Amino acid sequence: MAYVVTESCVNCRYTDCVEVCPVDCFHAGPNFLVIDPDVCIDCTLCVAECPVEAIYEASEVPQSQAHFIELNARYAKAWPVISERGEPLPTAEAWADIKDKFAELREA
């Protein structure tokens, strides 16, 4: 099972996880990252690196966020691969502890 980026990443987009990924499975959208399930090798390295604890193994994604499994797969096909750590969004600190951010997710 691949790993999945969930709601905590919205409006933060920390890229600490990207830096440790050995297979470049992360894709960057306007205010969110996703993991390509077809490329992810389940190494778990990204999980510990995420400062907002947004990454879960697909079978462990909280039920309330199960829709992120499909979103990761869909947006991985549309958004560009990101393979280097970059700056988080300027809003990252302010949004880091906010819950229920799904409405904030921007597709383009």
Side-chain angles (χ1 to χ4, degrees):
M1 296 293 284
Y3 280 74
V4 176
V5 180
T6 61
E7 187 170 40
S8 295
C9 184
V10 175
N11 283 342
C12 293
R13 208 177 71 186
Y14 288 101
T15 55
D16 305 51
C17 52
V18 172
E19 187 173 51
V20 298
C21 181
V23 294
D24 297 337
C25 67
F26 283 90
H27 295 253
N31 67 339
F32 185 67
L33 296 175
V34 296
I35 294 173
D36 185 335
D38 296 329
V39 177
C40 179
I41 60 169
D42 307 328
C43 70
T44 75
L45 294 173
C46 59
V47 176
E49 296 302 316
C50 181
V52 292
E53 300 177 353
I55 304 172
Y56 291 85
E57 198 274 334
S59 68
E60 296 176 0
V61 171
Q63 185 60 36
S64 64
Q65 296 190 40
H67 56 286
F68 279 92
I69 297 170
E70 187 275 327
L71 288 176
N72 274 245
R74 179 175 6 133
Y75 293 140
K77 293 178 182 5
W79 292 346
V81 171
I82 180 172
S83 59
E84 294 181 0
R85 183 178 182 179
E87 291 297 315
L89 294 174
T91 58
E93 268 190 54
W95 282 92
D97 294 323
I98 295 175
K99 305 294 182 210
D100 300 320
K101 302 187 282 185
F102 181 70
E104 297 290 323
L105 190 135
R106 295 194 326 255
E107 297 179 32

